[in-house]
Amino acid sequence: MPELPEVETIVTGLAQRIEGLRVEDCVLNRANMRFPFPDTLQEVLIGATIQAVSRRAKYLLFRLSNGFTIIGHLGMSGTMRVLAAADYEPRKHDHVIWELENGCLWVFHDPRRFGFLLLEQTDKLAGHPMISALGSEPLSAEFTADYLAQALSGRKTPIKVALMDQKLVVGVGNIYASEALFDACLSPFMPANEAAKDAEKLVHSIHITLRDAIASGGSTLRDYARSDGDSGYFQHHFRVYDRADQPCVKCNENIAQSRQAGRSTYFCHKCQCVG
DNA sequence: CGGCAAACCTGCGAGC
DNA sequence: TGCTCGCAGGTTTGCC
């Protein structure tokens, strides 16, 4: 679901609302999502204080006062909201509800159940299999044109598919891969090793696209909502994503839709030199 | 090893 | 109106 801008927006909101608070109770409305919930989830959580909420790639990290960290993922349709207990009305797919010491509820809702929660000791977090193999954070200093060019070299896979490979660069999903390639005027079908020569342009476009989206509070399609329950606004800024047959904002040609690795790709034939 | 399709789920819109 | 089909923001697995 949510790609980096959406996860970032949720992390910022959750940090403001739950950091420093003790968990009074933890209600599991089912035994599993994508994976079974850890047996010790409730035991570890109840009575612990949430020291810090952060993000690595699209993973949410909740550092607890007792040496454990919750690793969360929102999958395609997950949301996390915090609201006053008095305002809570149960909804289908509210899978986990944490009761906080200030009387608020922190609710994990996920219709498609591709999301999950795992538990790891904080000092072993970097070695966790889901975390250890991840590529560069696109908004960090290490995500440079040199890094990207090196990572793309020798790969024949289409550049759009490569940008969505989390071992290469994290946080770029189907929406922002299409948007960044349009910004860079590069064909999504260009082999990655050819696109390596445009690494500088690509890094710039990925930066711009993600920062704009974060500034807009992310994109709301169906399920995504910020931690305050409000929607994001970046969907109004889409230039190609979900705009098939609508005029290109630069050249007025119709935006085209295709499929790569099972995912929809949107692009402008003219601006992105797709022959 | 690289690259693709399928699988995991539910909900919604399009089309018949 | 009501059904079926296809598709949806992600990641892993298994097959070629």
Side-chain angles (χ1 to χ4, degrees), chain A residues 139-182:
Chain A
L139 299 179
S140 76
E142 72 177 61
F143 186 64
T144 61
D146 282 347
Y147 168 86
L148 185 61
Q150 178 66 33
L152 295 176
S153 69
R155 298 193 56 171
K156 295 178 205 161
T157 199
I159 182 61
K160 190 236 181 186
V161 178
L163 291 182
M164 292 173 62
D165 181 349
Q166 304 297 300
K167 292 189 283 300
L168 201 159
V169 55
V170 301
V172 179
N174 204 37
I175 292 178
Y176 299 109
S178 277
E179 292 293 320
L181 285 165
F182 175 80

Short mmCIF file of all heavy atoms in Angstrom, two decimals, chain A residues 139-182:
data_model
loop_
_atom_site.label_atom_id
_atom_site.label_comp_id
_atom_site.label_asym_id
_atom_site.label_seq_id
_atom_site.Cartn_x
_atom_site.Cartn_y
_atom_site.Cartn_z
N LEU A 139 16.09 8.98 0.38
CA LEU A 139 16.26 10.36 0.83
C LEU A 139 17.47 10.53 1.73
O LEU A 139 17.65 11.56 2.37
CB LEU A 139 14.98 10.84 1.55
CG LEU A 139 13.73 10.84 0.66
CD1 LEU A 139 12.49 11.29 1.44
CD2 LEU A 139 13.92 11.73 -0.56
N SER A 140 18.32 9.49 1.77
CA SER A 140 19.53 9.59 2.60
C SER A 140 20.72 10.01 1.75
O SER A 140 20.68 9.96 0.52
CB SER A 140 19.84 8.23 3.23
OG SER A 140 20.39 7.36 2.26
N ALA A 141 21.79 10.41 2.44
CA ALA A 141 22.99 10.88 1.75
C ALA A 141 23.66 9.78 0.94
O ALA A 141 24.41 10.04 0.00
CB ALA A 141 23.97 11.46 2.77
N GLU A 142 23.42 8.53 1.30
CA GLU A 142 24.11 7.45 0.58
C GLU A 142 23.47 7.12 -0.77
O GLU A 142 24.06 6.41 -1.56
CB GLU A 142 24.20 6.19 1.45
CG GLU A 142 22.88 5.46 1.62
CD GLU A 142 23.03 4.16 2.42
OE1 GLU A 142 23.45 4.25 3.59
OE2 GLU A 142 22.72 3.09 1.88
N PHE A 143 22.27 7.65 -1.02
CA PHE A 143 21.61 7.39 -2.30
C PHE A 143 22.09 8.42 -3.33
O PHE A 143 21.44 9.42 -3.58
CB PHE A 143 20.09 7.43 -2.14
CG PHE A 143 19.35 7.03 -3.39
CD1 PHE A 143 19.46 5.76 -3.91
CD2 PHE A 143 18.54 7.95 -4.05
CE1 PHE A 143 18.78 5.38 -5.07
CE2 PHE A 143 17.85 7.59 -5.21
CZ PHE A 143 17.97 6.31 -5.71
N THR A 144 23.22 8.16 -3.90
CA THR A 144 23.84 9.08 -4.85
C THR A 144 23.75 8.53 -6.27
O THR A 144 23.42 7.35 -6.47
CB THR A 144 25.33 9.26 -4.53
OG1 THR A 144 25.95 7.97 -4.64
CG2 THR A 144 25.54 9.79 -3.10
N ALA A 145 24.07 9.36 -7.23
CA ALA A 145 24.08 8.92 -8.62
C ALA A 145 25.09 7.78 -8.82
O ALA A 145 24.82 6.83 -9.55
CB ALA A 145 24.42 10.10 -9.54
N ASP A 146 26.21 7.85 -8.13
CA ASP A 146 27.22 6.79 -8.25
C ASP A 146 26.67 5.46 -7.72
O ASP A 146 26.86 4.41 -8.33
CB ASP A 146 28.48 7.15 -7.45
CG ASP A 146 29.35 8.15 -8.20
OD1 ASP A 146 29.10 8.35 -9.41
OD2 ASP A 146 30.26 8.72 -7.58
N TYR A 147 26.02 5.52 -6.55
CA TYR A 147 25.43 4.31 -5.98
C TYR A 147 24.42 3.71 -6.95
O TYR A 147 24.44 2.50 -7.23
CB TYR A 147 24.75 4.63 -4.64
CG TYR A 147 23.89 3.48 -4.14
CD1 TYR A 147 24.44 2.44 -3.39
CD2 TYR A 147 22.52 3.42 -4.45
CE1 TYR A 147 23.66 1.37 -2.96
CE2 TYR A 147 21.74 2.36 -4.03
CZ TYR A 147 22.31 1.34 -3.29
OH TYR A 147 21.53 0.29 -2.87
N LEU A 148 23.52 4.55 -7.46
CA LEU A 148 22.45 4.05 -8.33
C LEU A 148 23.02 3.48 -9.63
O LEU A 148 22.62 2.40 -10.08
CB LEU A 148 21.43 5.16 -8.62
CG LEU A 148 20.21 4.71 -9.43
CD1 LEU A 148 19.42 3.63 -8.70
CD2 LEU A 148 19.31 5.90 -9.75
N ALA A 149 23.97 4.20 -10.23
CA ALA A 149 24.58 3.73 -11.48
C ALA A 149 25.22 2.36 -11.28
O ALA A 149 25.08 1.45 -12.11
CB ALA A 149 25.61 4.75 -11.96
N GLN A 150 25.91 2.22 -10.17
CA GLN A 150 26.55 0.94 -9.84
C GLN A 150 25.51 -0.16 -9.67
O GLN A 150 25.65 -1.28 -10.18
CB GLN A 150 27.35 1.12 -8.54
CG GLN A 150 28.04 -0.13 -8.03
CD GLN A 150 29.13 -0.60 -8.97
OE1 GLN A 150 29.79 0.23 -9.60
NE2 GLN A 150 29.29 -1.91 -9.10
N ALA A 151 24.44 0.17 -8.97
CA ALA A 151 23.40 -0.82 -8.68
C ALA A 151 22.66 -1.25 -9.94
O ALA A 151 22.18 -2.39 -10.03
CB ALA A 151 22.43 -0.26 -7.64
N LEU A 152 22.54 -0.33 -10.91
CA LEU A 152 21.80 -0.64 -12.14
C LEU A 152 22.66 -1.35 -13.17
O LEU A 152 22.15 -2.02 -14.06
CB LEU A 152 21.24 0.65 -12.75
CG LEU A 152 20.19 1.41 -11.94
CD1 LEU A 152 19.82 2.71 -12.65
CD2 LEU A 152 18.94 0.56 -11.73
N SER A 153 23.96 -1.20 -13.05
CA SER A 153 24.85 -1.74 -14.08
C SER A 153 24.75 -3.25 -14.12
O SER A 153 24.65 -3.92 -13.10
CB SER A 153 26.29 -1.31 -13.80
OG SER A 153 26.76 -1.98 -12.65
N GLY A 154 24.78 -3.79 -15.32
CA GLY A 154 24.74 -5.24 -15.49
C GLY A 154 23.35 -5.83 -15.37
O GLY A 154 23.19 -7.04 -15.49
N ARG A 155 22.36 -4.99 -15.13
CA ARG A 155 21.00 -5.52 -15.02
C ARG A 155 20.20 -5.20 -16.26
O ARG A 155 20.14 -4.06 -16.71
CB ARG A 155 20.31 -4.96 -13.77
CG ARG A 155 21.04 -5.38 -12.50
CD ARG A 155 20.21 -5.11 -11.27
NE ARG A 155 18.90 -5.76 -11.33
CZ ARG A 155 18.07 -5.80 -10.29
NH1 ARG A 155 18.41 -5.24 -9.16
NH2 ARG A 155 16.91 -6.39 -10.39
N LYS A 156 19.55 -6.22 -16.80
CA LYS A 156 18.78 -6.03 -18.03
C LYS A 156 17.31 -5.77 -17.75
O LYS A 156 16.55 -5.41 -18.64
CB LYS A 156 18.90 -7.29 -18.90
CG LYS A 156 20.31 -7.54 -19.40
CD LYS A 156 20.33 -8.83 -20.22
CE LYS A 156 21.71 -9.44 -20.21
NZ LYS A 156 21.69 -10.85 -20.58
N THR A 157 16.90 -5.97 -16.52
CA THR A 157 15.49 -5.79 -16.18
C THR A 157 15.07 -4.34 -16.46
O THR A 157 15.89 -3.43 -16.37
CB THR A 157 15.28 -6.19 -14.70
OG1 THR A 157 13.91 -6.44 -14.48
CG2 THR A 157 15.75 -5.10 -13.76
N PRO A 158 13.81 -4.12 -16.83
CA PRO A 158 13.37 -2.75 -17.12
C PRO A 158 13.58 -1.83 -15.92
O PRO A 158 13.41 -2.25 -14.78
CB PRO A 158 11.87 -2.91 -17.42
CG PRO A 158 11.67 -4.34 -17.77
CD PRO A 158 12.73 -5.10 -17.03
N ILE A 159 13.93 -0.59 -16.21
CA ILE A 159 14.28 0.35 -15.14
C ILE A 159 13.14 0.51 -14.13
O ILE A 159 13.38 0.62 -12.92
CB ILE A 159 14.70 1.73 -15.72
CG1 ILE A 159 15.11 2.70 -14.60
CG2 ILE A 159 13.62 2.35 -16.58
CD1 ILE A 159 16.29 2.25 -13.78
N LYS A 160 11.90 0.47 -14.58
CA LYS A 160 10.80 0.65 -13.64
C LYS A 160 10.74 -0.51 -12.64
O LYS A 160 10.52 -0.30 -11.45
CB LYS A 160 9.47 0.78 -14.39
CG LYS A 160 8.31 1.21 -13.50
CD LYS A 160 7.20 0.22 -13.57
CE LYS A 160 6.02 0.63 -12.70
NZ LYS A 160 5.01 -0.43 -12.69
N VAL A 161 10.96 -1.72 -13.13
CA VAL A 161 10.96 -2.89 -12.25
C VAL A 161 12.15 -2.80 -11.29
O VAL A 161 12.02 -3.10 -10.09
CB VAL A 161 11.01 -4.19 -13.08
CG1 VAL A 161 11.06 -5.41 -12.17
CG2 VAL A 161 9.80 -4.28 -14.01
N ALA A 162 13.30 -2.34 -11.78
CA ALA A 162 14.49 -2.22 -10.94
C ALA A 162 14.27 -1.21 -9.81
O ALA A 162 14.68 -1.43 -8.68
CB ALA A 162 15.71 -1.82 -11.78
N LEU A 163 13.60 -0.11 -10.12
CA LEU A 163 13.38 0.93 -9.09
C LEU A 163 12.47 0.43 -7.97
O LEU A 163 12.50 0.94 -6.86
CB LEU A 163 12.78 2.20 -9.71
CG LEU A 163 13.69 3.00 -10.63
CD1 LEU A 163 12.96 4.24 -11.13
CD2 LEU A 163 14.98 3.39 -9.93
N MET A 164 11.66 -0.57 -8.29
CA MET A 164 10.76 -1.13 -7.27
C MET A 164 11.41 -2.27 -6.49
O MET A 164 10.80 -2.82 -5.59
CB MET A 164 9.47 -1.62 -7.93
CG MET A 164 8.63 -0.48 -8.47
SD MET A 164 7.21 -1.07 -9.41
CE MET A 164 6.31 -1.97 -8.16
N ASP A 165 12.66 -2.62 -6.85
CA ASP A 165 13.38 -3.68 -6.15
C ASP A 165 13.94 -3.13 -4.84
O ASP A 165 14.83 -2.28 -4.84
CB ASP A 165 14.51 -4.19 -7.06
CG ASP A 165 15.30 -5.33 -6.41
OD1 ASP A 165 15.12 -5.58 -5.20
OD2 ASP A 165 16.09 -5.95 -7.12
N GLN A 166 13.41 -3.61 -3.73
CA GLN A 166 13.76 -3.03 -2.42
C GLN A 166 15.20 -3.35 -2.00
O GLN A 166 15.71 -2.74 -1.07
CB GLN A 166 12.78 -3.52 -1.34
CG GLN A 166 11.33 -3.23 -1.66
CD GLN A 166 11.03 -1.74 -1.75
OE1 GLN A 166 11.21 -1.00 -0.80
NE2 GLN A 166 10.57 -1.28 -2.92
N LYS A 167 15.85 -4.26 -2.70
CA LYS A 167 17.26 -4.53 -2.40
C LYS A 167 18.16 -3.46 -3.01
O LYS A 167 19.32 -3.33 -2.65
CB LYS A 167 17.66 -5.92 -2.93
CG LYS A 167 16.98 -7.05 -2.17
CD LYS A 167 17.54 -8.42 -2.54
CE LYS A 167 17.03 -8.91 -3.88
NZ LYS A 167 15.56 -9.05 -3.95
N LEU A 168 17.59 -2.72 -3.95
CA LEU A 168 18.34 -1.69 -4.66
C LEU A 168 18.10 -0.33 -3.99
O LEU A 168 19.02 0.35 -3.55
CB LEU A 168 17.87 -1.70 -6.11
CG LEU A 168 18.76 -1.11 -7.19
CD1 LEU A 168 18.37 -1.68 -8.53
CD2 LEU A 168 18.63 0.38 -7.18
N VAL A 169 16.85 0.08 -4.00
CA VAL A 169 16.47 1.31 -3.30
C VAL A 169 15.11 1.04 -2.67
O VAL A 169 14.27 0.42 -3.28
CB VAL A 169 16.44 2.53 -4.25
CG1 VAL A 169 15.54 2.31 -5.43
CG2 VAL A 169 16.03 3.80 -3.50
N VAL A 170 14.92 1.48 -1.45
CA VAL A 170 13.69 1.13 -0.73
C VAL A 170 12.62 2.21 -0.87
O VAL A 170 12.93 3.36 -1.17
CB VAL A 170 13.98 0.90 0.77
CG1 VAL A 170 15.00 -0.21 0.96
CG2 VAL A 170 14.41 2.19 1.46
N GLY A 171 11.40 1.82 -0.66
CA GLY A 171 10.32 2.79 -0.51
C GLY A 171 9.63 3.22 -1.79
O GLY A 171 8.59 3.84 -1.75
N VAL A 172 10.23 2.91 -2.95
CA VAL A 172 9.62 3.28 -4.22
C VAL A 172 8.73 2.12 -4.67
O VAL A 172 9.21 1.04 -4.94
CB VAL A 172 10.69 3.56 -5.29
CG1 VAL A 172 10.03 3.93 -6.62
CG2 VAL A 172 11.61 4.67 -4.83
N GLY A 173 7.45 2.38 -4.75
CA GLY A 173 6.50 1.35 -5.18
C GLY A 173 5.94 1.69 -6.54
O GLY A 173 6.53 2.47 -7.31
N ASN A 174 4.80 1.14 -6.86
CA ASN A 174 4.27 1.24 -8.21
C ASN A 174 3.87 2.65 -8.62
O ASN A 174 4.06 3.04 -9.76
CB ASN A 174 3.07 0.29 -8.35
CG ASN A 174 2.83 -0.11 -9.78
OD1 ASN A 174 3.77 -0.31 -10.54
ND2 ASN A 174 1.58 -0.20 -10.16
N ILE A 175 3.34 3.41 -7.69
CA ILE A 175 2.94 4.79 -8.03
C ILE A 175 4.17 5.65 -8.29
O ILE A 175 4.30 6.27 -9.35
CB ILE A 175 2.16 5.44 -6.85
CG1 ILE A 175 0.81 4.76 -6.66
CG2 ILE A 175 1.99 6.94 -7.10
CD1 ILE A 175 0.01 5.32 -5.50
N TYR A 176 5.10 5.66 -7.34
CA TYR A 176 6.20 6.62 -7.41
C TYR A 176 7.27 6.20 -8.43
O TYR A 176 8.00 7.06 -8.92
CB TYR A 176 6.76 6.88 -6.01
CG TYR A 176 5.69 7.47 -5.12
CD1 TYR A 176 5.11 6.74 -4.08
CD2 TYR A 176 5.18 8.73 -5.39
CE1 TYR A 176 4.09 7.27 -3.31
CE2 TYR A 176 4.15 9.28 -4.63
CZ TYR A 176 3.60 8.54 -3.59
OH TYR A 176 2.58 9.06 -2.84
N ALA A 177 7.32 4.92 -8.78
CA ALA A 177 8.22 4.50 -9.86
C ALA A 177 7.74 5.12 -11.17
O ALA A 177 8.53 5.71 -11.92
CB ALA A 177 8.27 2.98 -9.96
N SER A 178 6.45 5.02 -11.45
CA SER A 178 5.91 5.63 -12.68
C SER A 178 6.09 7.15 -12.66
O SER A 178 6.49 7.75 -13.66
CB SER A 178 4.41 5.31 -12.82
OG SER A 178 4.20 4.05 -13.40
N GLU A 179 5.79 7.77 -11.54
CA GLU A 179 5.87 9.23 -11.44
C GLU A 179 7.31 9.73 -11.60
O GLU A 179 7.57 10.72 -12.28
CB GLU A 179 5.29 9.70 -10.10
CG GLU A 179 3.79 9.51 -9.97
CD GLU A 179 3.00 10.40 -10.93
OE1 GLU A 179 3.37 11.56 -11.12
OE2 GLU A 179 2.01 9.89 -11.50
N ALA A 180 8.26 9.03 -10.96
CA ALA A 180 9.66 9.48 -11.02
C ALA A 180 10.21 9.33 -12.44
O ALA A 180 10.96 10.18 -12.92
CB ALA A 180 10.50 8.68 -10.03
N LEU A 181 9.84 8.24 -13.13
CA LEU A 181 10.33 8.05 -14.49
C LEU A 181 9.75 9.09 -15.45
O LEU A 181 10.44 9.55 -16.37
CB LEU A 181 10.02 6.63 -14.98
CG LEU A 181 10.92 5.57 -14.36
CD1 LEU A 181 10.36 4.18 -14.57
CD2 LEU A 181 12.34 5.67 -14.93
N PHE A 182 8.52 9.48 -15.23
CA PHE A 182 7.95 10.56 -16.04
C PHE A 182 8.72 11.86 -15.78
O PHE A 182 9.09 12.58 -16.71
CB PHE A 182 6.46 10.75 -15.72
CG PHE A 182 5.84 11.91 -16.44
CD1 PHE A 182 5.45 11.77 -17.77
CD2 PHE A 182 5.68 13.14 -15.81
CE1 PHE A 182 4.88 12.85 -18.45
CE2 PHE A 182 5.12 14.22 -16.49
CZ PHE A 182 4.72 14.08 -17.81
#
